[in-house]
Amino acid sequence: MAHLGVLFLDELPEFQRAVLDSLRQPLETGEVSVARANAHVTFPARVQLIAAMNPCRCGHLGDPALACARAPRCAADYQAKVSGPLLDRIDLSIEMAAVSAADLVLPPPAEGSAEVAARVAAARQAQRERYAADGIRTNAEADGAVLERAAALDAPARALLAQAAEAMRLSARAFHRVLRVSRTIADLGGTDSIGRAQVAEALSYRRRAPVN
């Protein structure tokens, strides 16, 4: 099995849109195909994509004193540079506020990096054991019948996902990605079952595609 690499793209909308959209196939299949006149070659390209971006080009959208004169239109134009199909392939989208001076003097969080790392290691071990007979190692690789078995929802959770899929107009791809994230959230919490809480959290990470 090919090793998983990390691809970090800072200031995501500053990349050319054609370049960003070329990532869609590798993110979906874990492979990239290069076609030339006399050859067609496929290479392994399984990566964990991490991207960061400001809400607008100047980065001050939420600050009336610093935001540019085109706000909020500038934010819509800037964010629309990232296509909906690419956003559909991103499982976790989190908005973070700017760090203030008051934030810098807050006490450290109750759960430190060592504790988080231990929970992640336990979740990864649970996934390796779950998929031992399927030839895969993580929830991200689960698909089809394997995913349906691993991410079986109780009745309230399934009803919530069905309602959200209609309201948020989730694609089939996004629907299955929510299932995988829900399974991972349950693993991180040390629980076998997936309920409404896990599905609700997974849905909260979905970013609505911009209108292009």
Side-chain angles (χ1 to χ4, degrees):
M1 182 176 292
H3 293 291
L4 175 68
V6 176
L7 175 62
F8 176 59
L9 301 180
D10 197 11
E11 295 295 349
L12 186 64
E14 298 294 346
F15 290 85
Q16 293 183 6
R17 182 160 180 163
V19 173
L20 294 179
D21 282 341
S22 70
L23 295 173
R24 287 157 53 182
Q25 178 194 355
L27 291 175
E28 192 72 22
T29 65
E31 297 178 334
V32 61
S33 296
V34 180
R36 293 294 184 264
N38 298 321
H40 186 283
V41 183
T42 299
F43 297 99
R46 185 172 295 279
V47 299
Q48 179 175 340
L49 174 64
I50 301 174
M53 60 182 286
N54 285 314
C56 59
R57 187 178 293 276
C58 73
H60 298 299
L61 180 66
D63 190 335
L66 298 175
C68 68
R70 295 188 62 246
R73 182 62 192 176
C74 63
D77 293 343
Y78 191 62
Q79 295 177 28
K81 293 182 178 181
V82 184
S83 71
L86 178 60
L87 288 174
D88 206 34
R89 290 164 168 81
I90 297 177
D91 292 334
L92 310 177
S93 179
I94 302 173
E95 293 188 14
M96 302 182 65
V99 177
S100 67
D103 294 327
L104 298 176
V105 297
L106 291 174
E111 187 178 37
S113 297
E115 290 80 6
V116 173
R119 287 201 296 119
V120 171
R124 292 293 294 254
Q125 180 60 32
Q127 291 169 40
R128 282 192 292 269
E129 294 174 359
R130 176 183 301 129
Y131 302 118
D134 300 307
I136 60 177
R137 295 181 297 178
T138 65
N139 295 328
E141 300 170 84
D143 205 356
V146 174
L147 178 60
E148 291 181 7
R149 182 188 73 242
L153 307 180
D154 62 24
R158 183 162 291 278
L160 173 62
L161 181 54
Q163 181 182 10
E166 178 69 22
M168 298 172 67
R169 299 184 179 276
L170 296 181
S171 66
R173 178 185 298 109
F175 182 93
H176 290 106
R177 285 179 176 271
V178 169
L179 284 179
R180 294 188 188 96
V181 173
S182 299
R183 176 67 270 171
T184 301
I185 292 170
D187 289 342
L188 289 170
T191 62
D192 292 330
S193 61
I194 304 176
R196 283 179 59 91
Q198 288 80 20
V199 171
E201 183 175 351
L203 287 167
S204 73
Y205 298 132
R206 295 301 306 178
R207 180 182 177 90
R208 292 179 181 271
V211 178
N212 296 323

